[in-house]
Amino acid sequence: MQFLGQSILSIEQFDRAGVKTLFDTARRLEPYAARKLRTSVLDGTVLANLFFEPSTRTRVSFGVAFNRLGGFVRDTSGMQSTSLTKGESLFDTGRVIGGYADVMVVRYPEEGAVAEFAAATNIPVINAGDGPGEHPTQALLDAFTMEKELAARGKTVDGMHIVLSGDMKYGRTVHSLSKLLSLYQNVRFTFVSPAELRCPAKILDYVRARGHRVEETEDLAGALASADVLYATRLQKERLPEGTSLTYSEGFCVNRALMDKAAPKDIIIMHPLPRDGRMGANDLSDDLNGDDRLAIFKQTDNGVAVRMALFAEVLGVADKIEDTTRPVGWFVP
Ligand code: NCD
């Protein structure tokens, strides 16, 4: 695949070679993301970071990734602060911002909307989540983390049993990650969800068509017995049709008791975050904090290097990163 000047709207744009290129660049950028080295390869560039839906880590990590390459960031946050509330079209907004910035990151609550921004401009647009559609950069940082964590256990993603649990219907990270993992060989997928939140058939078909084994169940404990990775997710309450009230039953709560009882000892526990810590949410429990199996903060840390790599590839500077390398002169713990 080609990165230069491209918008990144869906994981379907990637092939295995493209993933390898990106991850090789991300590995080179890890010391910069960890503030062991600095580079100013994107000196003078501007990122427009437009988030029309709530976000903490995705918005900040995109901005930080751009800053750590030496670029400037302009943010908008929320619908209310923008002219979309005055009736402006996505096309007009996309066209206007395209005249100001070198690259745009967009999160929007409707599937397909980020593609509308991309159609309005000739600068690259990166999808940071379009409603229940896709979240390609989250999938990339998830797969990057999986590769690293599995390698530490002497394994590769090929041949693994990946259990995805929670809201498979509205969870866009699951949709993008399933497509991305389909690029690997012989993966076994188990989708665990309440009956109302099953994974869309188009995603299951996509994965099956690439030769992988796909199962669906409501029994998380049963699915975990042979799992190499658990990818748990939050109930996407904001996407439920009005008047619907759904909650995860206790069987979906990923806590120490469940993992000790039902899962292999070297399982990798992942979650795109945020986890819902409210009473009765039955999301990933914080009683696993500090547990070696928990990779959630490795995911968030890796997100910076992976997003830096994507900017470097799309803006065509990946081979120039080291030209401006300098030491870091400030306090880094
Ligand atoms: C996810 C999202 O926005 O889809 N969050 C994220 O970007 N890490 C998952 C979620 O909100 O549950």
Side-chain angles (χ1 to χ4, degrees), residues 53-55 57-58 107 128 135 138 172-173 234 236 238-239 271-274 307:
E53 254 198 345
S55 174
R57 78 219 78 242
T58 305
R107 169 172 287 188
H135 192 347
Q138 179 70 42
R172 58 194 172 196
T173 70
R234 176 182 69 89
Q236 309 280 296
E238 67 276 28
R239 309 212 190 281
H271 191 298
L273 301 181
R307 291 187 169 119

Side-chain angles (χ1 to χ4, degrees), residues 126-186:
I126 297 176
N127 181 1
D130 61 332
E134 283 219 39
H135 192 347
T137 61
Q138 179 70 42
L140 290 162
L141 75 89
D142 291 335
F144 184 78
T145 306
M146 257 181 223
E147 282 197 7
K148 268 180 90 164
E149 295 306 301
L150 287 167
R153 290 158 171 80
K155 304 179 191 175
T156 64
V157 176
D158 299 323
M160 289 297 107
H161 180 196
I162 316 280
V163 173
L164 301 107
S165 75
D167 186 345
M168 303 290 103
K169 181 171 183 178
Y170 298 110
R172 58 194 172 196
T173 70
V174 168
H175 303 161
S176 289
L177 181 60
S178 303
K179 289 180 186 174
L180 178 52
L181 293 174
S182 302
L183 294 174
Y184 294 77
Q185 297 297 310
N186 191 29

Side-chain angles (χ1 to χ4, degrees), residues 76-312:
T76 66
S77 201
M79 203 70 90
Q80 220 45 49
S81 66
T82 73
S83 289
L84 292 176
T85 55
K86 300 179 184 172
E88 186 169 54
S89 67
L90 303 188
F91 183 92
D92 283 3
T93 305
R95 169 61 190 84
V96 169
I97 300 294
Y100 299 159
D102 299 288
V103 56
M104 213 185 301
V105 169
V106 183
R107 169 172 287 188
Y108 199 85
E110 280 161 32
E111 187 165 354
V114 181
E116 287 187 45
F117 281 85
T121 176
N122 52 9
I123 68 167
V125 176
I126 297 176
N127 181 1
D130 61 332
E134 283 219 39
H135 192 347
T137 61
Q138 179 70 42
L140 290 162
L141 75 89
D142 291 335
F144 184 78
T145 306
M146 257 181 223
E147 282 197 7
K148 268 180 90 164
E149 295 306 301
L150 287 167
R153 290 158 171 80
K155 304 179 191 175
T156 64
V157 176
D158 299 323
M160 289 297 107
H161 180 196
I162 316 280
V163 173
L164 301 107
S165 75
D167 186 345
M168 303 290 103
K169 181 171 183 178
Y170 298 110
R172 58 194 172 196
T173 70
V174 168
H175 303 161
S176 289
L177 181 60
S178 303
K179 289 180 186 174
L180 178 52
L181 293 174
S182 302
L183 294 174
Y184 294 77
Q185 297 297 310
N186 191 29
V187 177
R188 179 175 166 198
F189 292 83
T190 305
F191 295 93
V192 189
S193 72
E196 300 87 342
L197 297 172
R198 285 173 61 185
C199 192
K202 65 176 181 190
I203 305 286
L204 301 179
D205 292 345
Y206 186 98
V207 175
R208 279 200 189 101
R210 281 151 185 83
H212 304 283
R213 177 169 163 194
V214 173
E215 291 144 323
E216 290 186 275
T217 174
E218 291 184 43
D219 173 19
L220 178 57
L224 286 174
S226 62
D228 296 288
V229 178
L230 167 63
Y231 188 88
T233 61
R234 176 182 69 89
L235 178 61
Q236 309 280 296
K237 281 209 167 93
E238 67 276 28
R239 309 212 190 281
L240 295 176
E242 241 171 58
T244 322
S245 78
L246 260 176
T247 46
Y248 289 159
S249 60
E250 277 174 25
F252 283 89
C253 182
V254 176
N255 57 21
R256 187 176 292 271
L258 174 73
M259 298 315 289
D260 288 349
K261 183 182 75 174
K265 284 197 169 27
D266 67 345
I267 192 167
I268 300 162
I269 305 168
M270 299 177 63
H271 191 298
L273 301 181
R275 48 181 159 168
D276 189 342
R278 289 171 289 198
M279 271 291 254
N282 290 324
D283 199 338
L284 173 62
S285 166
D286 58 13
D287 74 356
L288 282 160
N289 288 3
D291 191 300
D292 285 345
R293 296 169 289 187
L294 194 70
I296 55 176
F297 299 119
K298 293 176 179 162
Q299 289 170 265
T300 53
D301 284 351
N302 289 334
V304 175
V306 170
R307 291 187 169 119
M308 287 173 83
L310 195 60
F311 286 130

Side-chain angles (χ1 to χ4, degrees), residues 312-323:
E313 292 296 342
V314 164
L315 295 175
V317 298
D319 57 344
K320 300 188 187 76
I321 293 159
E322 288 83 5
D323 296 357

